[in-house]
């Protein structure tokens, strides 16, 4: 049977370069905003914070997306 606690948790990944850049260094083609992805991770196998390389539509390139706390 299944265990009492669910090992999978939902996490939110946020673009690290959008956060560092802010809104004042925008180019003409950039739109204001921060890229965020929602995914799941196994709490038992990955206890540290998750960092993945994903596409950011605001930076127009692949960047590091780090886990943010809710």
């Amino acid at each position: 049977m299944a265990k009492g606690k669910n090992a999978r948790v939902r996490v939110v990944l946020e673009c690290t370069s959008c956060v560092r850049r802010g809104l004042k260094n925008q180019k003409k083609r950039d739109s204001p905003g921060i890229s965020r992805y929602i995914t799941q991770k196994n709490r038992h196998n990955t206890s540290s914070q998750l960092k993945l390389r994903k596409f950011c539509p605001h930076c127009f390139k692949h960047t590091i997306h780090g886990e943010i706390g809710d």
Side-chain angles (χ1 to χ4, degrees):
M1 299 304 282
K3 295 184 180 181
K5 289 197 172 189
N6 194 2
R8 292 246 164 224
V9 292
R10 185 175 290 175
V11 294
V12 178
L13 303 175
E14 186 176 79
C15 179
T16 55
S17 64
C18 283
V19 174
R20 273 189 272 133
R21 184 181 47 176
L23 297 176
K24 58 184 172 184
N25 294 336
Q26 282 186 11
K27 295 178 184 171
K28 191 174 185 180
R29 66 179 183 164
D30 286 349
S31 61
I34 296 173
S35 172
R36 288 190 176 164
Y37 285 93
I38 298 174
T39 188
Q40 292 181 346
K41 75 172 186 176
N42 190 324
R43 184 173 21 189
H44 300 298
N45 294 339
T46 313
S47 58
S48 61
Q49 286 201 344
L50 194 60
K51 291 186 179 180
L52 296 175
R53 194 161 185 254
K54 301 196 71 76
F55 181 77
C56 177
H58 303 291
C59 298
F60 299 104
K61 60 183 177 179
H62 283 84
T63 59
I64 301 291
H65 283 65
E67 181 180 339
I68 59 172
D70 290 334

